[in-house]
Amino acid sequence: PFGRDFLLRLWKTTPKTRDARLRKITAALRSAVPQLTDLSVELDQAGAPHLIGGYSHWRVHAAKQNESQFSDGTLRLLGLLWATFEGDGPLLLEEPEISLHPEVVRRLPTIFSRINRSRKTPRQIILSTHSEEMLRDPGIAAEEVLRLEPGPNGTLLQRADEADRQAMRAGLSAADVLMPKAAPKDIQQMVLEFP
């Protein structure tokens, strides 16, 4: 039920645009789901839209599955990729790494960047993450990362300082340089004691 409005949005997108986006998404998904051959949106007899995936196997004709048979990770990745194509304003993606394999997560910033460059009008994409895998993407520059730091009067946005920028220019990733600074200050005191 939670994805029904998403499927309706896919169906309501003009066929030419929808099919072009689904072809690009299929190409991106194919690295994570190698048997995927195509994606389409079809209406069932009751008039409800369904996402249909074609999968290659040992038989001549591809097997068909609808969204209820896709893994959580495949559905999440498909939704994230669709969101990057849709709309014109800033896009906020909170923890896009959830339900995704770490190797897929490592490639998300590059995938989002490539999709954004392919758009007629690029949009600002803002990601919030706790994922070291995502921050290991070598294409992430120090100037592109803001660290959220809790303070007594609210949360502060912290930019990478000069030492951080130099370390990243020398080849360290944002995960190496900035993630240690994001750890809670007194985390070493987090101990579970039993009587």
Side-chain angles (χ1 to χ4, degrees):
F2 299 110
R4 189 62 53 200
D5 63 333
F6 173 67
L7 295 175
L8 196 56
R9 283 196 344 250
L10 262 67
W11 177 253
K12 287 183 175 181
T13 303
T14 60
K16 182 178 176 183
T17 301
R18 179 182 62 226
D19 294 344
R21 288 179 184 173
L22 288 175
R23 276 193 304 276
K24 291 176 184 176
I25 290 170
T26 300
L29 285 174
R30 205 170 282 133
S31 61
V33 187
Q35 296 83 11
L36 183 66
T37 58
D38 63 276
L39 289 168
S40 62
V41 181
E42 300 174 6
L43 289 181
D44 65 14
Q45 292 177 347
H50 291 281
L51 185 62
I52 307 297
Y55 291 86
S56 62
H57 56 75
W58 56 273
R59 292 185 177 166
V60 176
H61 300 289
K64 299 285 184 182
Q65 293 182 347
N66 71 25
E67 73 281 351
S68 69
Q69 297 163 309
F70 291 2
S71 70
D72 289 348
T74 299
L75 288 171
R76 182 157 180 90
L77 186 54
L78 192 146
L80 291 168
L81 296 176
W82 184 270
T84 60
F85 284 111
E86 197 174 50
D88 295 321
L91 174 64
L92 172 61
L93 300 173
E94 295 188 61
E95 298 182 353
E97 67 271 12
I98 295 172
S99 300
L100 299 177
H101 189 279
E103 289 299 323
V104 173
V105 172
R106 282 190 183 109
R107 289 156 179 80
L108 283 179
T110 298
I111 292 169
F112 292 143
S113 176
R114 286 182 182 160
I115 290 173
N116 205 27
R117 284 194 315 258
S118 76
R119 291 172 47 101
K120 290 178 184 172
T121 306
R123 65 194 298 196
Q124 183 179 28
I125 299 176
I126 302 166
L127 305 176
S128 70
T129 185
H130 292 100
S131 170
E132 284 192 35
E133 289 87 4
M134 187 174 305
L135 293 173
R136 294 219 178 277
D137 187 304
I140 297 175
E143 295 77 20
E144 295 177 301
V145 181
L146 296 172
R147 184 172 41 87
L148 301 174
E149 186 176 287
N153 296 319
T155 301
L156 302 173
L157 287 175
Q158 299 292 343
R159 295 179 184 266
D161 61 27
E162 184 55 35
D164 298 335
R165 289 191 291 278
Q166 286 180 358
M168 289 179 69
R169 280 193 293 267
L172 294 177
S173 70
D176 299 324
V177 176
L178 300 173
M179 281 299 281
K181 291 183 172 187
K185 298 276 186 246
D186 298 320
I187 193 64
Q188 68 278 6
Q189 294 177 10
M190 186 176 170
V191 188
L192 187 60
E193 294 183 17
F194 294 100

